[in-house]
Structures are given as C-alpha cells and as structure tokens.
Amino acid sequence: MRKLLLIFLILLYFCPKIFPNDNIYFNFDYAVFKGEDGKSILEVYYSVNQKSLKYVNTGNGFEGNVLIDISIIDISNNSTVFSNVYKTPSNINDTASVNQKLIGQINYLLPKGNYRLKITGSDYNDTASKDTFTQDLDADNTETANPRISDIELSTMIKKAADDKSIFYKNT
C-alpha cells in the first residue's frame, strides 16, 4: 500500500512537468448599464493568471503581454460595430515568483439594439495560446414608466477609490 501511495505521489508531482498545460485561461464577463441619451454602457471585464503567459527576457527583467480582441456585432444586420485589439503588458523581475492576475475593464457606449460580443484573449508571445468568449446581449435603456434594473456586478472587494481616473472607478 505504501509503494502504491508513493508511486501516486511521484506521478502527481511529475505529470504537470511531463505533460505541461499549454492553454491559457481567461475569465471574461460583462455588464450593461444605462447610459445617457438612451444609450447603454457595456463594461467588459477580463482577468488572466500571469503565470500562464510566456515571458521574454528584456535584460532588465521579463515581459509578457496579453492581447484582448473584442468584436461587437449588431445582430440585426450582421455588421461590426466595434473591433478593437488591446495589448496589456506584464513586467516582472523573476518568472519564478509570478502568482498574480492581470485584470482589466474596457467600456463601450452602445445604441439600443441586440449585439453579439466576442472576446478572444491570447498570449502576445504565443498567439496559439488563446481563450474565446461569445455572448449575445441586449442593450435597451429606453425610458419606461416601470422601474428597471441594470446588470448585477459581483465583486471580491469594494473600497473607496483614491484614484477617480481608475478603470474600476464607479461614481464616487
């Protein structure tokens, strides 16, 4: 029984090194809120573990980059409303101690309509390593006599912001 347990523990330790996981996993989400002039604010959120990126030695440390490709398509006529690619850098001193997440938020202002949101996150230094999210959404903030609620946002931490220019700043 001890030999079997020892073999299991050895396999458990070495399997990730023998068969590495080359996939990159992003967390994507979005929320739609009422904007001005009957438009909606679409907030797109993403996060990825730094350790899933391929880093390049720059001489002063290591640099990895995340590419976020966002397409918003109007479903009624299959036209692309927005198509943007964002590059988010991750600069570190030592690749052995990478254990944080890169997080970000990107906002769009949308007129009333039905849209398809497609987000692809990839590693800039290894574009074959990517993750995709697709979701249809409704952007309708037409004034009505009945009360309505925006999308609900969940958070792991809420605190008073010191920087009102932060991408995560919410109305004081």
mmCIF file of all heavy atoms in Angstrom, residues 135-159:
data_model
loop_
_atom_site.group_PDB
_atom_site.id
_atom_site.type_symbol
_atom_site.label_atom_id
_atom_site.label_comp_id
_atom_site.label_asym_id
_atom_site.label_seq_id
_atom_site.Cartn_x
_atom_site.Cartn_y
_atom_site.Cartn_z
ATOM 1 N N GLN A 135 -21.042 35.900 -26.463
ATOM 2 C CA GLN A 135 -22.323 36.047 -25.763
ATOM 3 C C GLN A 135 -23.188 37.063 -26.505
ATOM 4 O O GLN A 135 -22.693 38.105 -26.922
ATOM 5 C CB GLN A 135 -22.078 36.527 -24.332
ATOM 6 C CG GLN A 135 -23.307 36.742 -23.509
ATOM 7 C CD GLN A 135 -24.018 35.445 -23.174
ATOM 8 O OE1 GLN A 135 -23.383 34.485 -22.788
ATOM 9 N NE2 GLN A 135 -25.316 35.412 -23.342
ATOM 10 N N ASP A 136 -24.466 36.745 -26.666
ATOM 11 C CA ASP A 136 -25.416 37.723 -27.191
ATOM 12 C C ASP A 136 -25.901 38.585 -26.039
ATOM 13 O O ASP A 136 -26.069 38.092 -24.921
ATOM 14 C CB ASP A 136 -26.602 37.021 -27.859
ATOM 15 C CG ASP A 136 -26.205 36.323 -29.156
ATOM 16 O OD1 ASP A 136 -25.069 36.527 -29.625
ATOM 17 O OD2 ASP A 136 -27.023 35.569 -29.697
ATOM 18 N N LEU A 137 -26.119 39.872 -26.313
ATOM 19 C CA LEU A 137 -26.575 40.771 -25.265
ATOM 20 C C LEU A 137 -27.574 41.773 -25.815
ATOM 21 O O LEU A 137 -27.593 42.066 -27.015
ATOM 22 C CB LEU A 137 -25.402 41.477 -24.585
ATOM 23 C CG LEU A 137 -24.483 42.347 -25.436
ATOM 24 C CD1 LEU A 137 -24.861 43.804 -25.298
ATOM 25 C CD2 LEU A 137 -23.067 42.143 -24.974
ATOM 26 N N ASP A 138 -28.392 42.287 -24.927
ATOM 27 C CA ASP A 138 -29.431 43.260 -25.256
ATOM 28 C C ASP A 138 -29.064 44.590 -24.621
ATOM 29 O O ASP A 138 -28.868 44.672 -23.414
ATOM 30 C CB ASP A 138 -30.780 42.752 -24.716
ATOM 31 C CG ASP A 138 -31.926 43.707 -24.993
ATOM 32 O OD1 ASP A 138 -31.842 44.482 -25.967
ATOM 33 O OD2 ASP A 138 -32.908 43.684 -24.231
ATOM 34 N N ALA A 139 -28.951 45.616 -25.447
ATOM 35 C CA ALA A 139 -28.662 46.963 -24.955
ATOM 36 C C ALA A 139 -29.907 47.805 -25.189
ATOM 37 O O ALA A 139 -30.090 48.376 -26.251
ATOM 38 C CB ALA A 139 -27.460 47.549 -25.676
ATOM 39 N N ASP A 140 -30.787 47.832 -24.205
ATOM 40 C CA ASP A 140 -32.042 48.585 -24.335
ATOM 41 C C ASP A 140 -32.278 49.378 -23.059
ATOM 42 O O ASP A 140 -32.675 48.830 -22.043
ATOM 43 C CB ASP A 140 -33.210 47.638 -24.583
ATOM 44 C CG ASP A 140 -34.528 48.380 -24.749
ATOM 45 O OD1 ASP A 140 -34.514 49.628 -24.811
ATOM 46 O OD2 ASP A 140 -35.569 47.717 -24.809
ATOM 47 N N ASN A 141 -32.011 50.653 -23.126
ATOM 48 C CA ASN A 141 -32.248 51.526 -21.973
ATOM 49 C C ASN A 141 -33.290 52.576 -22.305
ATOM 50 O O ASN A 141 -33.172 53.737 -21.943
ATOM 51 C CB ASN A 141 -30.940 52.168 -21.501
ATOM 52 C CG ASN A 141 -30.174 51.224 -20.627
ATOM 53 O OD1 ASN A 141 -30.733 50.665 -19.687
ATOM 54 N ND2 ASN A 141 -28.918 51.007 -20.935
ATOM 55 N N THR A 142 -34.316 52.145 -23.029
ATOM 56 C CA THR A 142 -35.417 53.036 -23.354
ATOM 57 C C THR A 142 -36.135 53.415 -22.068
ATOM 58 O O THR A 142 -36.375 52.577 -21.206
ATOM 59 C CB THR A 142 -36.401 52.322 -24.309
ATOM 60 O OG1 THR A 142 -35.662 51.801 -25.412
ATOM 61 C CG2 THR A 142 -37.465 53.271 -24.804
ATOM 62 N N GLU A 143 -36.465 54.680 -21.956
ATOM 63 C CA GLU A 143 -37.201 55.158 -20.780
ATOM 64 C C GLU A 143 -38.569 54.491 -20.717
ATOM 65 O O GLU A 143 -39.278 54.429 -21.715
ATOM 66 C CB GLU A 143 -37.367 56.675 -20.837
ATOM 67 C CG GLU A 143 -36.068 57.451 -20.720
ATOM 68 C CD GLU A 143 -35.416 57.310 -19.358
ATOM 69 O OE1 GLU A 143 -36.118 57.164 -18.338
ATOM 70 O OE2 GLU A 143 -34.175 57.349 -19.307
ATOM 71 N N THR A 144 -38.916 53.964 -19.563
ATOM 72 C CA THR A 144 -40.240 53.375 -19.345
ATOM 73 C C THR A 144 -40.787 53.898 -18.027
ATOM 74 O O THR A 144 -40.047 54.416 -17.190
ATOM 75 C CB THR A 144 -40.175 51.830 -19.273
ATOM 76 O OG1 THR A 144 -39.417 51.457 -18.132
ATOM 77 C CG2 THR A 144 -39.544 51.241 -20.528
ATOM 78 N N ALA A 145 -42.077 53.722 -17.858
ATOM 79 C CA ALA A 145 -42.704 54.140 -16.600
ATOM 80 C C ALA A 145 -42.381 53.152 -15.481
ATOM 81 O O ALA A 145 -42.446 53.493 -14.303
ATOM 82 C CB ALA A 145 -44.219 54.249 -16.784
ATOM 83 N N ASN A 146 -42.049 51.928 -15.852
ATOM 84 C CA ASN A 146 -41.741 50.894 -14.847
ATOM 85 C C ASN A 146 -40.265 50.935 -14.471
ATOM 86 O O ASN A 146 -39.405 51.185 -15.320
ATOM 87 C CB ASN A 146 -42.081 49.514 -15.400
ATOM 88 C CG ASN A 146 -43.549 49.375 -15.733
ATOM 89 O OD1 ASN A 146 -44.391 49.943 -15.042
ATOM 90 N ND2 ASN A 146 -43.849 48.658 -16.788
ATOM 91 N N PRO A 147 -39.969 50.660 -13.211
ATOM 92 C CA PRO A 147 -38.559 50.615 -12.805
ATOM 93 C C PRO A 147 -37.848 49.435 -13.478
ATOM 94 O O PRO A 147 -38.446 48.407 -13.740
ATOM 95 C CB PRO A 147 -38.611 50.413 -11.294
ATOM 96 C CG PRO A 147 -40.029 50.272 -10.914
ATOM 97 C CD PRO A 147 -40.876 50.431 -12.113
ATOM 98 N N ARG A 148 -36.566 49.629 -13.767
ATOM 99 C CA ARG A 148 -35.747 48.571 -14.360
ATOM 100 C C ARG A 148 -34.434 48.493 -13.606
ATOM 101 O O ARG A 148 -34.014 49.458 -12.983
ATOM 102 C CB ARG A 148 -35.476 48.877 -15.832
ATOM 103 C CG ARG A 148 -36.757 48.838 -16.655
ATOM 104 C CD ARG A 148 -36.518 49.185 -18.082
ATOM 105 N NE ARG A 148 -35.550 48.271 -18.679
ATOM 106 C CZ ARG A 148 -35.136 48.384 -19.918
ATOM 107 N NH1 ARG A 148 -35.593 49.335 -20.676
ATOM 108 N NH2 ARG A 148 -34.261 47.544 -20.410
ATOM 109 N N ILE A 149 -33.798 47.378 -13.701
ATOM 110 C CA ILE A 149 -32.516 47.204 -13.028
ATOM 111 C C ILE A 149 -31.441 46.893 -14.065
ATOM 112 O O ILE A 149 -31.683 46.184 -15.036
ATOM 113 C CB ILE A 149 -32.599 46.096 -11.953
ATOM 114 C CG1 ILE A 149 -31.327 46.045 -11.116
ATOM 115 C CG2 ILE A 149 -32.865 44.743 -12.582
ATOM 116 C CD1 ILE A 149 -31.465 45.200 -9.866
ATOM 117 N N SER A 150 -30.272 47.466 -13.863
ATOM 118 C CA SER A 150 -29.129 47.163 -14.720
ATOM 119 C C SER A 150 -28.611 45.781 -14.368
ATOM 120 O O SER A 150 -29.083 45.141 -13.427
ATOM 121 C CB SER A 150 -28.021 48.195 -14.499
ATOM 122 O OG SER A 150 -28.436 49.473 -14.878
ATOM 123 N N ASP A 151 -27.604 45.327 -15.127
ATOM 124 C CA ASP A 151 -26.972 44.053 -14.792
ATOM 125 C C ASP A 151 -26.364 44.136 -13.397
ATOM 126 O O ASP A 151 -26.009 45.210 -12.915
ATOM 127 C CB ASP A 151 -25.878 43.711 -15.805
ATOM 128 C CG ASP A 151 -26.450 43.282 -17.145
ATOM 129 O OD1 ASP A 151 -27.661 42.995 -17.221
ATOM 130 O OD2 ASP A 151 -25.682 43.225 -18.120
ATOM 131 N N ILE A 152 -26.232 42.994 -12.777
ATOM 132 C CA ILE A 152 -25.679 42.914 -11.425
ATOM 133 C C ILE A 152 -24.202 42.583 -11.522
ATOM 134 O O ILE A 152 -23.793 41.724 -12.293
ATOM 135 C CB ILE A 152 -26.423 41.853 -10.593
ATOM 136 C CG1 ILE A 152 -27.887 42.278 -10.438
ATOM 137 C CG2 ILE A 152 -25.759 41.640 -9.251
ATOM 138 C CD1 ILE A 152 -28.762 41.228 -9.809
ATOM 139 N N GLU A 153 -23.401 43.272 -10.733
ATOM 140 C CA GLU A 153 -21.969 43.037 -10.672
ATOM 141 C C GLU A 153 -21.605 42.420 -9.346
ATOM 142 O O GLU A 153 -22.056 42.883 -8.307
ATOM 143 C CB GLU A 153 -21.226 44.381 -10.780
ATOM 144 C CG GLU A 153 -20.498 44.566 -12.047
ATOM 145 C CD GLU A 153 -19.796 45.916 -12.089
ATOM 146 O OE1 GLU A 153 -19.069 46.275 -11.147
ATOM 147 O OE2 GLU A 153 -19.987 46.605 -13.081
ATOM 148 N N LEU A 154 -20.795 41.376 -9.375
ATOM 149 C CA LEU A 154 -20.282 40.773 -8.145
ATOM 150 C C LEU A 154 -18.831 41.198 -7.994
ATOM 151 O O LEU A 154 -18.118 41.347 -8.973
ATOM 152 C CB LEU A 154 -20.392 39.255 -8.202
ATOM 153 C CG LEU A 154 -21.797 38.699 -8.381
ATOM 154 C CD1 LEU A 154 -21.750 37.185 -8.488
ATOM 155 C CD2 LEU A 154 -22.705 39.123 -7.248
ATOM 156 N N SER A 155 -18.407 41.361 -6.754
ATOM 157 C CA SER A 155 -17.045 41.810 -6.510
ATOM 158 C C SER A 155 -16.440 41.059 -5.336
ATOM 159 O O SER A 155 -17.140 40.686 -4.403
ATOM 160 C CB SER A 155 -17.055 43.310 -6.206
ATOM 161 O OG SER A 155 -15.764 43.744 -5.892
ATOM 162 N N THR A 156 -15.134 40.864 -5.399
ATOM 163 C CA THR A 156 -14.435 40.230 -4.280
ATOM 164 C C THR A 156 -13.996 41.272 -3.254
ATOM 165 O O THR A 156 -13.707 40.934 -2.127
ATOM 166 C CB THR A 156 -13.199 39.465 -4.755
ATOM 167 O OG1 THR A 156 -12.352 40.358 -5.478
ATOM 168 C CG2 THR A 156 -13.584 38.301 -5.636
ATOM 169 N N MET A 157 -13.940 42.558 -3.673
ATOM 170 C CA MET A 157 -13.551 43.601 -2.744
ATOM 171 C C MET A 157 -14.086 44.941 -3.238
ATOM 172 O O MET A 157 -13.990 45.248 -4.418
ATOM 173 C CB MET A 157 -12.025 43.682 -2.622
ATOM 174 C CG MET A 157 -11.579 44.786 -1.695
ATOM 175 S SD MET A 157 -9.790 44.914 -1.440
ATOM 176 C CE MET A 157 -9.093 44.682 -3.036
ATOM 177 N N ILE A 158 -14.638 45.706 -2.322
ATOM 178 C CA ILE A 158 -15.098 47.058 -2.641
ATOM 179 C C ILE A 158 -14.484 47.992 -1.609
ATOM 180 O O ILE A 158 -14.568 47.744 -0.411
ATOM 181 C CB ILE A 158 -16.636 47.156 -2.588
ATOM 182 C CG1 ILE A 158 -17.261 46.230 -3.622
ATOM 183 C CG2 ILE A 158 -17.078 48.597 -2.821
ATOM 184 C CD1 ILE A 158 -18.763 46.146 -3.536
ATOM 185 N N LYS A 159 -13.843 49.037 -2.100
ATOM 186 C CA LYS A 159 -13.271 50.028 -1.183
ATOM 187 C C LYS A 159 -13.313 51.392 -1.853
ATOM 188 O O LYS A 159 -13.429 51.502 -3.071
ATOM 189 C CB LYS A 159 -11.854 49.651 -0.779
ATOM 190 C CG LYS A 159 -10.857 49.647 -1.913
ATOM 191 C CD LYS A 159 -9.482 49.246 -1.407
ATOM 192 C CE LYS A 159 -8.474 49.306 -2.548
ATOM 193 N NZ LYS A 159 -7.131 48.983 -2.123
#
